[in-house]
Amino acid sequence: CGAPPLGSPHGLLCLANNSCIATTFDSMHDRFMRLYSRRAMLHHYTQYTDGGSAAIFDEASESLVSLADSYRQMQRGAAPSGPEMERLVPMF
């Protein structure tokens, strides 16, 4: 974000972490599973990449579900399981 967009005097980068992103992850997972169940485009990754296998996609799907579950836990107010995370402080 060192250079502002054309025609603007300033550039801005905003990082937000909200628990409402879980629904977006769920819809992304649903769309992925519809394509993956048909093996759509899978041959591009398994045939033309080095060491590409379908197991990578299974692992990615599990990771996405786990991530969405973590955000849902935060939304309910439950403490996330895992290592403690430090709170980010804005630097102005």
Side-chain angles (χ1 to χ4, degrees):
C1 200
L6 292 175
S8 297
H10 305 287
L12 174 69
L13 172 65
C14 178
L15 298 175
N17 190 8
N18 295 319
S19 58
C20 63
I21 194 73
T23 55
T24 303
F25 288 148
D26 287 335
S27 67
M28 188 184 315
H29 183 258
D30 290 340
R31 286 182 286 153
F32 167 77
M33 289 309 294
R34 275 188 242 134
L35 290 171
Y36 186 62
S37 66
R38 295 180 188 157
R39 302 290 192 233
M41 307 293 182
L42 187 63
H43 65 281
H44 290 292
Y45 295 98
T46 57
Q47 188 177 22
Y48 299 112
T49 60
D50 294 332
S53 71
I56 294 171
F57 293 100
D58 294 329
E59 184 180 334
S61 175
E62 291 172 11
S63 295
L64 188 58
V65 169
S66 174
L67 182 65
D69 288 341
S70 296
Y71 274 105
R72 269 191 231 90
Q73 281 180 354
M74 286 184 215
Q75 193 172 18
R76 287 192 303 262
S81 59
E84 287 294 319
M85 296 172 39
E86 291 184 31
R87 183 166 181 84
L88 295 176
V89 179
M91 299 174 67
F92 294 94

